[in-house]
């Protein structure tokens, strides 16, 4: 027979846990609202920027910039066989499979692209934001070129600026052939989807083919390179910043759902334990009554 | 023929729609854009973007800087503020 006291202790400890998970759910819900509105505010800017860069990338005239696929020097470079992968994870856990989905996708991505560690001279450089991602990849054999958690840098805005600077520099110096970004995109509160996206080089294979216009006039012409350079570097930053905002919103949504489930499971467990507690108590009472009756009968 | 104008800053989409005419303050001077304008890219200078929709002329402040991209009668203006 299970001990009455131990069951009671168990019930009270689960009740405490339930209280904590319920509070965490509430905190996540309020943070979600804040992060969601930050993401929605920035969405229009990110989209307009993306469209503008897409327009620019359909122009062959600007192929003199190193960020472009058609850039000659890049194709001729011998040592540009590395691949850069940016992973946007979270600082904190307790958000279901949010981070795990990222790591799974990372392994799938390198598998499908046949980027293997065994191929000599081919390295994968990781750029990681978020403590959870850092902890995970520290144990692996991959080369971590950049790793930072969000609280280290204070604001995600500054973090994305530093990260994009690092990536553009490494890319221009021919350290990498391609750069991908793996992050959780925010579909809805109930659904976050891990997705991999190529951010460098800009432009698709047939970029030159669907050329609609005769190039651009860049004004003032003497700063042409600087203007284009700034636009593209800011584009990388905008992209990363938006992904981080998306990930923030998704993290809170995932945490809210995970904590909601935990609260519900705790309630279910309490019900189960209460039933067994009542049963045990009833058995004890019955036993005591039997003892008394037996005692009374013996005296007669 | 109308211009498709889109103006966004980091907080919201300021304007999206069609305009007859658009005036943009750039580092190389104020640029007046009508349909069939040559494609161009420029940094914004502090001033006011003016655009005409119907008979009304609207204004948007560009104090924070940014850039403009014009291609095939599509205007994308990204404000840094």
């Amino acid at each position: 027979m299970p001990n009455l006291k131990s069951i009671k202790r168990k019930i009270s400890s689960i009740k405490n846990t339930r209280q904590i998970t319920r509070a965490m759910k509430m905190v996540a819900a309020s943070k979600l609202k804040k992060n969601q509105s930050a993401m929605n505010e920035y969405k229009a800017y990110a989209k307009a920027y993306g469209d503008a860069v897409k327009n620019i990338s359909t122009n062959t005239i600007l192929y003199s910039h190193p960020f472009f696929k058609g850039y000659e020097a890049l194709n001729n470079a011998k040592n540009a066989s590395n691949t850069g992968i940016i992973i946007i994870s979270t600082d904190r856990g307790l958000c279901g499979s949010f981070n795990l989905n990222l790591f799974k996708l990372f392994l799938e991505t390198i598998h499908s692209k046949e980027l293997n560690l065994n191929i000599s001279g081919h390295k994968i450089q990781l750029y990681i934001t978020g403590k959870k991602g850092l902890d995970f990849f520290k144990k692996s054999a991959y080369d971590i070129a950049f790793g930072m958690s969000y609280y280290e840098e204070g604001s995600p805005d500054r973090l994305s600026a530093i990260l994009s600077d690092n990536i553009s520099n490494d890319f221009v110096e021919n350290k990498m052939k391609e750069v991908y970004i793996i992050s959780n995109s925010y579909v809805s509160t109930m659904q976050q989807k891990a997705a991999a996206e190529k951010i460098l080089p800009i432009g698709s294979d047939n970029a030159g083919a669907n050329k609609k216009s005769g190039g651009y006039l860049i004004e003032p012409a003497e700063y042409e390179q600087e203007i284009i350079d700034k636009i593209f570097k800011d584009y990388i930053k905008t992209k990363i910043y938006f992904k981080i905002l998306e990930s923030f919103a998704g993290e809170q949504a995932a945490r809210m759902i995970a904590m909601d489930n935990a609260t519900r499971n705790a309630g279910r467990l309490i019900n189960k334990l209460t039933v067994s507690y009542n049963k045990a108590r009833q058995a004890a009472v019955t036993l005591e009554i039997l003892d008394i009756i037996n005692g009374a009968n013996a005296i007669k | 023929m109308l211009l498709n104008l889109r103006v966004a800053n980091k907080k919201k989409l300021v304007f999206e729609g069609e305009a007859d005419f658009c005036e943009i303050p750039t580092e190389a001077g104020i640029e007046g854009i009508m349909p069939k304008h040559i494609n161009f890219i420029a940094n914004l200078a502090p001033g006011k973007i003016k655009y005409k929709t119907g008979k009304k002329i609207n204004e948007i402040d560009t104090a924070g800087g940014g850039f403009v991209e014009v291609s095939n009668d599509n205007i994308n203006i990204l404000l840094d503020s």
Side-chain angles (χ1 to χ4, degrees):
Chain A
M1 189 185 76
N3 192 342
L4 270 179
K5 237 182 200 164
S6 78
I7 295 179
K8 203 162 189 187
R9 210 178 298 134
K10 236 185 211 166
I11 290 178
S12 72
S13 97
I14 291 171
K15 268 187 184 155
N16 277 338
T17 312
R18 183 171 67 172
Q19 227 158 24
I20 292 167
T21 55
R22 195 180 280 154
M24 279 185 78
K25 185 199 151 192
M26 253 115 66
V27 171
S30 79
K31 275 188 183 167
L32 169 67
K33 246 182 219 157
K34 206 178 97 198
N35 291 349
Q36 218 175 2
S37 67
M39 179 187 80
N40 286 334
E41 276 175 0
Y42 202 67
K43 205 179 218 162
Y45 184 82
K47 192 173 177 295
Y49 212 135
D51 287 351
V53 168
K54 207 166 141 201
N55 285 343
I56 297 170
S57 73
T58 50
N59 271 279
T60 46
I61 277 176
L62 299 174
Y63 271 10
S64 56
H65 196 274
F67 278 0
F68 272 105
K69 196 166 197 158
Y71 188 60
E72 293 270 315
L74 187 70
N75 291 338
N76 297 336
K78 264 182 259 160
N79 57 350
S81 59
N82 294 352
T83 305
I85 294 182
I86 308 165
I87 292 166
I88 311 273
S89 69
T90 67
D91 265 358
R92 287 167 203 206
L94 288 182
C95 44
S97 57
F98 193 74
N99 284 316
L100 219 64
N101 286 342
L102 288 180
F103 308 148
K104 234 190 265 170
L105 185 71
F106 167 77
L107 294 173
E108 275 170 27
T109 310
I110 56 169
H111 193 72
S112 67
K113 299 205 187 321
E114 292 176 349
L115 303 170
N116 220 310
L117 279 175
N118 299 332
I119 303 166
S120 58
H122 194 123
K123 268 191 351 195
I124 294 170
Q125 274 177 299
L126 293 178
Y127 297 82
I128 301 168
T129 67
K131 193 168 163 287
K132 289 284 155 191
L134 267 174
D135 288 348
F136 181 82
F137 285 104
K138 239 177 222 165
K139 287 173 241 154
S140 71
Y142 299 108
D143 184 12
I144 300 176
F146 177 91
M148 209 174 235
S149 57
Y150 300 105
Y151 66 77
E152 257 179 283
E153 206 27 71
S155 78
D157 193 23
R158 285 242 306 281
L159 175 68
S160 49
I162 296 168
L163 178 56
S164 64
D165 270 357
N166 265 311
I167 287 164
S168 338
N169 288 343
D170 285 357
F171 190 78
V172 172
E173 282 166 21
N174 271 336
K175 280 189 190 159
M176 293 176 287
K177 193 174 66 174
E178 290 170 320
V179 180
Y180 293 87
I181 182 161
I182 293 179
S183 71
N184 274 302
S185 58
Y186 181 90
V187 184
S188 69
T189 314
M190 298 304 283
Q191 198 190 2
Q192 297 85 38
K193 204 164 166 273
E197 198 184 335
K198 187 161 139 187
I199 59 165
L200 278 173
I202 299 165
S204 54
D205 288 321
N206 54 1
N210 61 4
K211 183 184 144 199
K212 278 180 277 179
S213 51
Y216 280 95
L217 184 73
I218 299 167
E219 287 180 332
E222 54 264 42
Y223 302 126
E224 197 175 299
Q225 278 303 325
E226 282 91 333
I227 291 171
I228 287 295
D229 207 50
K230 187 176 178 298
I231 288 176
F232 287 140
K233 278 186 177 157
D234 279 357
Y235 172 65
I236 305 293
K237 192 199 146 201
T238 305
K239 194 113 197 166
I240 291 170
Y241 185 48
F242 183 64
K243 294 270 182 201
I244 290 176
L245 288 180
E246 236 185 344
S247 167
F248 274 14
E251 178 193 351
Q252 297 303 343
R255 181 166 299 130
M256 203 176 82
I257 289 160
M259 288 302 117
D260 190 38
N261 281 336
T263 310
R264 216 172 302 140
N265 284 342
R268 219 172 283 152
L269 208 57
I270 288 170
N271 282 346
K272 231 189 226 165
L273 282 172
T274 312
V275 169
S276 63
Y277 174 75
N278 286 342
K279 263 185 193 163
R281 195 196 54 195
Q282 192 57 55
V285 169
T286 315
L287 234 123
E288 245 168 75
I289 290 172
L290 276 178
D291 269 358
I292 292 166
I293 291 170
N294 281 343
N297 280 342
I299 295 167
K300 263 182 199 167
Chain B
M1 280 291 270
L2 289 166
L3 295 161
N4 284 313
L5 176 66
R6 176 156 58 171
V7 186
N9 66 15
K10 289 185 174 173
K11 288 283 172 202
K12 62 176 194 283
L13 193 63
V14 183
F15 176 81
E16 183 170 23
E18 291 182 325
D20 300 313
F21 173 76
C22 185
E23 207 178 87
I24 302 164
T26 71
E27 284 179 349
I30 292 172
E31 201 83 40
I33 296 169
M34 290 185 81
K36 302 256 181 198
H37 193 279
I38 189 172
N39 296 344
F40 88 99
I41 298 167
N43 283 341
L44 294 177
K48 278 192 162 58
I49 300 167
K50 291 178 188 163
Y51 59 94
K52 199 173 147 210
T53 52
K55 293 226 160 108
K56 216 171 140 219
I57 292 175
N58 303 291
E59 286 183 355
I60 297 169
D61 210 36
T62 64
F67 77 95
V68 53
E69 182 261 349
V70 181
S71 61
N72 307 317
D73 292 344
N74 291 308
I75 306 176
N76 283 311
I77 300 174
L78 281 299
L79 302 170
D80 279 350
S81 56

